[in-house]
Amino acid sequence: MPAIVDGLREMMTESTSREAVRHGSARICRGCWDQMHMPIPIGGPLALPFRALGITRSKMNPDICTICERSFQYVKKQRQITVDATILFADIRGFTHLSERIEAVQLSEIVSLFQDRCAQAIWAHDGIVNKQMGDGLMAIFNFPIVRKDHAGAAILAAQEIQRNCTAALNSLAPDALPGRPLGVGVGIHSGEVQIGEFSSFRSDFTAIGGVVNQAARLESQAAAGEILISAETAAKAPDLAAGAETRMLALKGIEQPVQARVLVKH
């Protein structure tokens, strides 16, 4: 028993050093540690008994475990909580038009590449891929992995998505959309969101509320190569938003015009 305790302490020291951890390399679940201060092994020999019990790395982020993903009430002791977080939506622009012109196999390759490149960027900045919707996705920053600079983390992830996706997407379908290259639109908004279990037949958590809705609306207005961030997100990450164009938008379901900052892929 002392050897196991010492091993867990060593893993906690290694895994809570943010500078030394790359996504997918954490040896304990960073979500369980941040939310409960509980060291759940997900890497190394101490993880083997947990794998036998079905506790493995989560598909939302490989640095958290399936306890975080599927047992929200166990982790937080309640069905719903309110968290200051940043929500990111990303979507392939021109996908509907493209889907009418190429075969299903090639279309699935494009979706897989997009989802993979987005996930890698989101994980690299401690976000989770909470929902995947075909040619789009939703990510949460600051839960269950805690990031005080969650707005900046989301912007950096979005910039990485833009850098990594565009060339790769167009390399898969260079002739399908002549004069209309594929691209990605991203929307980001920060504020208080409700996170928890909102279904009687699914135990994995998600986020809901006005912040989520506005992030989705911003993404719907983003052109290929653009990242639209709300004024609230820009205020939390002023260095990353400095010099960005301001755009006033009429968003569906929101009465007053919304001010957004436009970060364009370079």
Side-chain angles (χ1 to χ4, degrees):
M1 181 64 72
I4 293 176
V5 172
D6 289 342
L8 287 173
R9 285 174 178 164
E10 180 182 348
M11 290 164 65
M12 283 186 283
T13 300
E14 292 178 2
S15 293
T16 52
S17 175
R18 291 274 165 89
E19 292 76 16
V21 172
R22 293 177 300 161
H23 61 278
S25 66
R27 299 183 68 192
I28 65 166
C29 171
R30 293 178 61 193
C32 287
W33 181 252
D34 284 356
Q35 298 300 322
M36 301 186 294
H37 222 57
M38 181 179 294
I40 302 296
I42 54 175
L46 291 179
L48 295 176
F50 289 83
R51 290 178 195 166
L53 296 173
I55 300 171
T56 60
R57 294 183 186 272
S58 169
K59 292 182 179 180
M60 291 186 183
N61 182 314
D63 284 340
I64 67 174
C65 74
T66 47
I67 293 176
C68 292
E69 179 183 333
R70 303 170 188 166
S71 305
F72 180 86
Q73 288 191 71
Y74 173 79
V75 173
K76 300 306 297 181
K77 309 302 181 186
Q78 52 190 315
R79 282 185 61 84
Q80 302 167 18
I81 60 171
T82 299
V83 175
D84 184 37
T86 296
I87 305 296
L88 178 153
F89 280 86
D91 185 87
I92 302 175
R93 293 293 175 262
F95 185 80
T96 301
H97 194 65
L98 178 68
S99 65
E100 299 170 353
R101 286 162 172 74
I102 64 174
E103 296 180 355
V105 172
Q106 191 177 12
L107 197 66
S108 67
E109 291 177 354
I110 290 173
V111 170
S112 296
L113 183 146
F114 164 76
Q115 293 287 357
D116 179 67
R117 296 294 172 89
C118 286
Q120 294 294 327
I122 290 161
W123 296 341
H125 298 281
D126 295 335
I128 63 164
V129 179
N130 186 243
K131 292 180 181 178
Q132 294 175 301
M133 302 85 72
D135 62 320
L137 60 78
M138 167 184 155
I140 303 173
F141 292 82
N142 202 35
F143 186 88
I145 298 174
V146 174
R147 281 285 300 249
K148 291 182 179 179
D149 60 338
H150 50 88
I155 292 173
L156 291 172
Q159 291 174 334
E160 193 169 327
I161 286 171
Q162 293 292 14
R163 284 195 300 270
N164 295 346
C165 279
T166 303
L169 288 172
N170 284 299
S171 69
L172 292 180
D175 302 319
L177 290 174
R180 296 180 58 184
L182 286 176
V184 177
V186 181
I188 303 174
H189 186 31
S190 305
E192 290 193 344
V193 300
Q194 288 68 54
I195 294 179
E197 298 174 11
F198 301 97
S199 169
S200 59
F201 59 87
R202 288 180 65 104
S203 60
D204 50 329
F205 68 87
T206 191
I208 63 171
V211 169
V212 178
N213 294 339
Q214 184 165 323
R217 298 289 186 252
L218 287 170
E219 177 264 302
S220 71
Q221 296 293 312
E226 288 186 342
I227 303 165
L228 297 187
I229 65 174
S230 68
E232 290 80 359
T233 299
K236 289 178 178 290
D239 291 345
L240 293 172
E245 170 197 341
T246 298
R247 186 180 296 173
M248 298 303 296
L249 300 171
L251 301 181
K252 181 179 179 182
I254 300 176
E255 291 185 5
Q256 299 298 321
V258 171
Q259 183 185 93
R261 306 294 288 276
V262 186
L263 305 180
V264 181
K265 173 182 64 65
H266 295 290

